[in-house]
Amino acid sequence: PLLTSVPVSVCCCLFILFLFLSELTGFIATEIVNELYVDDPDKDSGGKIEVNLNISLPNLHCELVGLDIHFFFGRHEVGHIDNSMKIPLNNGEGCRFEGHFSINKVPGNFHVSTHSATAQPQNPDMTHVIHKLSFGDKLQVHNVHGAFNALEGADKLSSNPLASHDYILKIVPTVYEDMSGKQRYSYQYTVANKEYVAYSHTGRIIPAIWFRYDLSPITVKYTERRQPLYRFITSICAIIGGTFTVAGILDSCIFTASEAWKKIQLGKMQ
């Protein structure tokens, strides 16, 4: 049986090595499990959500651009300037607005407009490109593909210059917990939008870029997990034991068939 057992043993060892490496890769790598539940995950935030906004208005002067924040239950701030920056574009003809601010965890809106300007322009041009709109901590995780910056690249340069733009956002709280138990809090969101021409009570057209938001009661949680050591050891033992059992059966079948063939050959010779 030596001649038959050698190739079977070699194949057996190669098969075990392949399965062992596959299990080892799975054991070392982390998997991400997601779940849904109803709760406010970031209770230490003081009821606030951090917002990052980066938007370009290539046909509106920087002195006219302002950010207004409004909540349905209280705060109404016109011309928010804290942690914001205006960068002139097109030789001063346009403006890039970058702002970092907080909103309350209640329905409301924030909008880019000319409302805070000392003198309102006759025909403000609100065509724009949105580079970034994100909420909460920044998440850059390979296996998590969510709508954390769903409006990135939104291009309204070809729209009616005097049109107002409504972006209706549904914000979904998102938690990411790594292997050490550290949690990061971010927010995904879905978006719908519409354009329309808005008139003031005096009949003037006063366009704006509105971001109206509401929060979902559902929280999405992503958790990093690794296969337990006992499960890895159990799998390796099962691979080794099962492979050698199957190899023994194959070797026995090959040996039996070889002996039967030898007897047949001897019978023919006699």
Side-chain angles (χ1 to χ4, degrees), residues 12-265:
C12 174
C13 291
L14 291 175
F15 186 66
I16 289 175
L17 179 62
F18 170 74
L19 292 181
F20 172 78
L21 293 176
S22 299
E23 285 294 323
L24 182 62
T25 302
F27 174 70
I28 294 174
T30 57
E31 62 174 347
I32 297 179
V33 180
N34 63 75
E35 58 181 315
L36 303 177
Y37 60 92
V38 179
D39 194 13
D40 178 11
D42 190 8
K43 295 182 174 63
D44 298 328
S45 64
K48 303 285 187 181
I49 300 175
E50 297 298 318
V51 184
N52 290 286
L53 175 63
N54 190 327
I55 183 171
S56 290
L57 298 93
N59 301 306
L60 194 64
H61 294 279
C62 279
E63 62 266 20
L64 300 174
V65 176
L67 175 70
D68 310 325
I69 304 173
H70 177 245
F71 304 136
F72 293 162
F73 306 103
R75 176 181 171 189
H76 188 185
E77 182 180 351
V78 178
H80 178 86
I81 58 174
D82 294 338
N83 299 316
S84 63
M85 180 170 56
K86 299 177 184 179
I87 304 170
L89 300 175
N90 302 332
N91 297 319
E93 294 299 316
C95 187
R96 179 167 179 153
F97 179 86
E98 299 180 11
H100 178 78
F101 55 96
S102 63
I103 57 176
N104 289 347
K105 292 183 178 179
V106 294
N109 72 73
F110 51 92
H111 52 279
V112 177
S113 69
T114 61
H115 298 165
S116 61
T118 53
Q120 291 297 313
Q122 287 298 320
N123 296 302
D125 187 334
M126 301 304 292
T127 54
H128 61 276
V129 176
I130 299 174
H131 307 291
K132 182 178 183 180
L133 177 61
S134 63
F135 301 87
D137 295 337
K138 184 177 181 179
L139 289 183
Q140 284 187 325
V141 183
H142 177 67
N143 292 327
V144 175
H145 303 285
F148 296 98
N149 190 13
L151 277 173
E152 180 181 16
D155 188 333
K156 298 297 180 180
L157 296 178
S158 59
S159 61
N160 181 355
L162 295 177
S164 288
H165 302 264
D166 257 11
Y167 295 99
I168 296 91
L169 314 177
K170 191 70 172 182
I171 301 175
V172 182
T174 304
V175 184
Y176 185 86
E177 183 176 320
D178 60 22
M179 293 291 296
S180 65
K182 180 181 178 181
Q183 293 186 339
R184 283 179 285 172
Y185 303 97
S186 187
Y187 296 84
Q188 303 181 61
Y189 62 92
T190 58
V191 58
N193 69 290
K194 62 180 180 180
E195 297 180 21
Y196 58 94
V197 177
Y199 295 87
S200 68
H201 63 280
T202 61
R204 292 183 58 187
I205 299 176
I206 305 180
I209 304 169
W210 296 82
F211 301 92
R212 308 180 193 274
Y213 66 89
D214 193 7
L215 270 77
S216 168
I218 302 296
T219 294
V220 181
K221 183 177 182 181
Y222 298 97
T223 307
E224 279 188 358
R225 291 181 183 174
R226 182 168 289 162
Q227 181 180 334
L229 179 61
Y230 72 86
R231 188 179 299 172
F232 172 69
I233 295 174
T234 302
S235 298
I236 296 302
C237 292
I239 289 171
I240 295 173
T243 303
F244 275 112
T245 299
V246 173
I249 295 172
L250 290 175
D251 189 61
S252 177
C253 292
I254 293 172
F255 178 73
T256 302
S258 176
E259 290 297 313
W261 178 254
K262 287 180 182 179
K263 291 179 179 179
I264 292 172
Q265 294 298 319

